[in-house]
Amino acid sequence: QLQLVESGGGLVQAGGSLRLSCAASGRTFSSYAAGWFRQAPGKEREFVASISSIGGSTNYGDSVKGRFTISRDNAKNTLYLEMNSLRPEDTAVYYCNARSRPYGSRLPTDDYWGQGTQVTVSS
């Protein structure tokens, strides 16, 4: 099993920045594609960003393009999400995800989730 633990959430004013981290353990993190999702109260979980297993390819949801940056350090088994120019609508619980197949693959995949970290952006 791959365990994922997020950190770095908190309360920030609109226009501010936060960096989320996701520490992976239990298996070889570099074997997994990874991503961030978020869920606001009363809404469905939303894709934020993803990165390939060795970090060569990234993708972003339309609402965060140009403001958020996903990265990973496989030597440290850690996934990051740098969030800039935060808006109140970015308020949500942010979840780290890792999967054994690339995002977009239709083949069966092992799928792992962290417990989430709260990000609150005040106006």
Side-chain angles (χ1 to χ4, degrees):
Q1 289 277 42
L2 183 70
Q3 287 84 41
L4 303 172
V5 179
E6 302 97 334
S7 61
L11 174 64
V12 64
Q13 289 189 334
S17 300
L18 280 176
R19 187 173 86 154
L20 305 183
S21 298
C22 173
S25 63
R27 287 192 175 177
T28 305
F29 183 55
S30 59
S31 298
Y32 295 85
W36 292 94
F37 291 73
R38 67 187 182 185
Q39 189 166 19
K43 296 188 176 181
E44 293 187 353
R45 193 167 293 190
E46 173 190 20
F47 169 76
V48 175
S50 66
I51 188 167
S52 60
S53 59
I54 57 173
S57 176
T58 58
N59 282 290
Y60 296 90
D62 288 341
S63 61
V64 306
K65 281 181 182 176
R67 300 187 298 122
F68 291 11
T69 302
I70 189 171
S71 62
R72 66 191 298 164
D73 185 339
N74 285 338
K76 296 182 178 180
N77 295 323
T78 304
L79 177 72
Y80 303 100
L81 184 69
E82 185 75 36
M83 304 186 294
N84 298 314
S85 302
L86 282 161
R87 305 166 180 168
E89 54 264 38
D90 294 318
T91 296
V93 177
Y94 283 71
Y95 296 92
C96 174
N97 173 258
R99 54 184 60 182
S100 57
R101 303 244 185 221
Y103 288 86
S105 171
R106 296 186 178 184
L107 296 173
T109 179
D110 293 334
D111 210 10
Y112 301 95
W113 294 92
Q115 83 289 347
T117 186
Q118 177 71 46
V119 171
T120 302
V121 184
S122 63
S123 57

